[in-house]
C-alpha cells in the first residue's frame, strides 16, 4: 500500500496496453524471484506509544538513522517518506508502520539473511533512541486517535474515502501489520493456476500466522483481527474474487475487474490529485473529472493496481496478502510456505488437488470464519488444521525438490519447522499470546511490547 508512485511512462489509449502490462510479468523459471515484505510497529519504550513522524523519538529519526547503512532517502515535499537501496525499499504505512519491501532474491536463504540484516539495522538505530519495533497483526493497545498520520498525500485522500466504504478501513490503515511474499509466473496459464491455488489457500495462511488477538488492551474475540478488518474495509477492492475460479480467467479478465474498481488518486508533478470514486475506464477515454481531457500513463495504471486489496493481488507478479505480521521466524516461514507450494510443478499440482473441488461457498466461509477460529475452524468434517498440515507437507516437498542449498548444504525446507510445530500443536501465535495475557501477564497487555520486540 505504501509504494512510491510509479514512473509515468507511455500514454495509455486502450485496454490492450493494460493487459500487455500484466503479461510482461511472465518469466522463465530460472528468472523467478522471491520478494518478501513485512511491516512492524515502532514505539517508545518509555510508554509504548506509537512514534509520531517528527521529534527525537520519531519515524523521521528512524529513517534518518537507517541512512547510515547506505539507504537513500525518497522525499515527498520536504519529508523523507521512504528509503531505497539495491532493489529494496523501506516505506511507511499510514500510522507509521515501517515496511521493508525486500529485493527480488533467488532463495529463502537470501530472504532470511535480508530480513536478519534489516532487523539488525533497525535495532542499532532504535536502541539508542529508546525505541523498539515488533511484529503483530494489529496494534494491541492504542486507539486510532492515539496514532499519528504519516505526511503522505495519498493517505490523506484514502483516509477521507475509507469511511464512505466500510467501518474498519481506518483501522486497516493505522493499526495493522502484515507479512507477504511476491512470486512470479511463467505464462498466463501458470498465473491462473497459481492465483487459484494461492487464493484458495490464503485462509490457511491466515490461520497459520494468526497473530492479532488484542484491541485496546483486551482480547477482541478474534485470532486474526487484522484479517477480519479487511472484510469491512471496502467491498469494491477486497474480498474473495469468484471470477478467478471461473472459465475465462486470465490477464484480460483481471484487467476488467480492476477497471471496475473506483480510483483513489492520480499522481502528477509531485502531488496527489484526489480522484476518489472515479473510474479508470473514464480516465482511459479522457473523461476523468479530476483531469479533464487527459489520458492515463503507464504509471497511473501501476498505481491503480496497487490500490486493490484482495487476499491475492496480481501485478506483474502475484502477492500473497493473507498473513499477520509476526516474529522474526515468521518472516522466513511465510515465503517458504508459498515458494514450496508454487515454485515446484509437482507441489503445485498437489496443492491444486487439495483445493480444486472447493466451492465458492467454501471460499466465502473460510474467509469469514478463519479470522475468528484460525486452525480450529470446522471445514469439510474436520478442522482447518488438517488442511494446513497437508499444505505444509506439500510445501516441504516442493522446497526439497527445488534443492536450493545454503553454505552448510541445507535446503530451504527447514524454514517450515515453525509451521510444522504449529500444526502439530494445532496452535497459532495468537493463542500463545492469549495464554500469556490470561496467565503470567496478569490481564495486562504491556509485557507484549518487550517480549515481542524484535
Amino acid at each position: 500500500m505504501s509504494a512510491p508512485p510509479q514512473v509515468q511512462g507511455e500514454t495509455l489509449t486502450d485496454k490492450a496496453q493494460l493487459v500487455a502490462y500484466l503479461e510482461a510479468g511472465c518469466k522463465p523459471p530460472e528468472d523467478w524471484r522471491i520478494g518478501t515484505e513485512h511491516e512492524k510497529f515502532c514505539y517508545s519504550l518509555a510508554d509504548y506509544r506509537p512514534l509520531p513522524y517528527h521529534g527525537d523519538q520519531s519515524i523521521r529519526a528512524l529513517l534518518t538513522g537507517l541512512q547510515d547503512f547506505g539507504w537513500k532517502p525518497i522525499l515527498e515535499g520536504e519529508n523523507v517518506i521512504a528509503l531505497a537501496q539495491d532493489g529494496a525499499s523501506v516505506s511507511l504505512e499510514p500510522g507509521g508502520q515501517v515496511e521493508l519491501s525486500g529485493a527480488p532474491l533467488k532463495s529463502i536463504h537470501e530472504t532470511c539473511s535480508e530480513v536478519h540484516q534489516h532487523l539488525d539495522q533497525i535495532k542499532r538505530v532504535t536502541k539508542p533512541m529508546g525505541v523498539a519495533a515488533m511484529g503483530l497483526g494489529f496494534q494491541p493497545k492504542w486507539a486510532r486517535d492515539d496514532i499519528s498520520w504519516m505526511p503522505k498525500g495519498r493517505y490523506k485522500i484514502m483516509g477521507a474515502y475509507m469511511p464512505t466504504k466500510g467501518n474498519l478501513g481506518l483501522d486497516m490503515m493505522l493499526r495493522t501489520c502484515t507479512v507477504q511474499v511476491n512470486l512470479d509466473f511463467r505464462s498466463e496459464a501458470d498465473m491462473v493456476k497459481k492465483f487459484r491455488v494461492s487464493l484458495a489457500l490464503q485462509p490457511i495462511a491466515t490461520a497459520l500466522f494468526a497473530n492479532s488477538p488484542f484491541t485496546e488492551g483486551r482480547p477482541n474475540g478474534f485470532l486474526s483481527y487484522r484479517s477480519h478488518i479487511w472484510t469491512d474495509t471496502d467491498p469494491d477492492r477486497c474480498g474473495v474474487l469468484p471470477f478467478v475460479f471461473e472459465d475465462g480467467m486470465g490477464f484480460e479478465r483481471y484487467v476488467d475487474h480492476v477497471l471496475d474498481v473506483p480510483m483513489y488518486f492520480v499522481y502528477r508533478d509531485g502531488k496527489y490529485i484526489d480522484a476518489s470514486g472515479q473510474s479508470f475506464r473514464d480516465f482511459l477515454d479522457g473523461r476523468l473529472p479530476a483531469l479533464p481531457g487527459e489520458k492515463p500513463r503507464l504509471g497511473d495504471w501501476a498505481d491503480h493496481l496497487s490500490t486493490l486489496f484482495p487476499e491475492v493481488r496480481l501485478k506483474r507478479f502475484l502477492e500473497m496478502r493473507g498473513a499477520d505480521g509476526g516474529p522474526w521466524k515468521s518472516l522466513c516461514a511465510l515465503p517458504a510456505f508459498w515458494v514450496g507450494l508454487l515454485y515446484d510443478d509437482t507441489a503445485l499440482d498437489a496443492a491444486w488437488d487439495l483445493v480444486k473441488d472447493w466451492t465458492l461457498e467454501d471460499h466465502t466461509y473460510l474467509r469469514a470464519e478463519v479470522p475468528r477460529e484460525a486452525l480450529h475452524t470446522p471445514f469439510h468434517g474436520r478442522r482447518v488444521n488438517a488442511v494446513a498440515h497437508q499444505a505444509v507437507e506439500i510445501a516441504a516437498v516442493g522446497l526439497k525438490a527445488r534443492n536450493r542449498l545454503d553454505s552448510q548444504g541445507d535446503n530451504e525446507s527447514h524454514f517450515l519447522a515453525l509451521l510444522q510445530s504449529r500444526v502439530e500443536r494445532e496452535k497459532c501465535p495468537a493463542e500463545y499470546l492469549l495464554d500469556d495475557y490470561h496467565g503470567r501477564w496478569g490481564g495486562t497487555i504491556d509485557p507484549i511490547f518487550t517480549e515481542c520486540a524484535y
Side-chain angles (χ1 to χ4, degrees), residues 360-370 373 377-380:
L360 177 58
E361 289 73 22
D362 289 333
H363 299 306
T364 303
Y365 165 80
L366 289 171
R367 181 68 192 89
E369 298 301 320
V370 162
E373 298 188 69
T377 307
F379 184 61
H380 287 185

Side-chain angles (χ1 to χ4, degrees), residues 171-188:
D171 285 319
M172 179 277 290
M173 294 181 74
L174 293 170
R175 297 203 281 177
T176 63
C177 281
T178 186
V179 53
Q180 68 182 57
V181 61
N182 307 323
L183 299 176
D184 291 313
F185 42 81
R186 67 162 63 86
S187 63
E188 183 172 53

Side-chain angles (χ1 to χ4, degrees), residues 8 96 131 266 298 400:
Q8 292 302 318
V131 166
V266 181
L298 196 60
K400 289 172 184 174

